[in-house]
Amino acid sequence: MRIRDLLLLVPFLLSDGGVSPKGTNGWIIYLRNNDEILINYFTKILKRVTQNKIQIQIKKDGSYFARVSDKKLGEKLNKLCFSFRTKPCNVHPICPGYKKNGVCRAKTIEGKYHMINLPSEFLDNKGIRTLFLRIYFTCDGGTSVVCSKSKYPFLIRKVFVDVKHPTLRNDMIKVLIAAGFVPKVYSAQIRLTTEEEIKKFYKTIGFV
């Protein structure tokens, strides 16, 4: 099981996927997305790190749901990032400890968010950093062109990624800066807005 493959799973799991407990000690590693190409990319990496059966379902809304049950893989992934839950503890699905006692069993930030720590490889290794950004922006980001509402309208272009989790957002900013960008930060979004940065993103990072 190569560390590189584990690292490539991280952006999938922090965006549209996750690592959820199964039973007493087991773990389910999963991804739900509408893009078959992303699902195939995810399962291709999964096959390199697990020998267990990978299940793929098509949900009623047309999205794909890929998952595998693997205790050892789940443990290794949790050692990398501590947690893959990016939602607050009181948002569905509510954390078991929080639901029962109002206190989450996991290590949290101000009792609200699970602790998440991005591995240093995303800062230090250019190749891994590029793939991390490409996957994460494809899953939880995109591009947008809208017209301003000012007296003299003009087009507003941006490449963006949605990140609400406080420490994950800070880590994402550091990764983008390490990649040579100057991101603009909002409460729930990180954006690249200048023509130069947008062109640089498409040339050096891109989407899956």
Side-chain angles (χ1 to χ4, degrees), residues 12 31-44 56-58 62-66 138 208:
F12 286 109
L31 177 71
R32 184 169 182 171
N33 195 279
N34 293 322
D35 192 333
E36 187 176 6
I37 293 175
L38 271 178
I39 292 293
N40 290 338
Y41 190 4
F42 176 70
T43 55
K44 182 180 178 180
I56 301 177
Q57 298 173 298
I58 300 178
S63 65
Y64 298 89
F65 185 66
T138 302
V208 174

Side-chain angles (χ1 to χ4, degrees), residues 17-23 25-30 68-70 74 78 84 93:
V19 179
S20 296
K22 178 186 179 183
N25 298 311
W27 295 98
I28 294 176
I29 297 90
Y30 66 90
V68 65
S69 178
D70 191 315
N78 280 318
F84 289 88

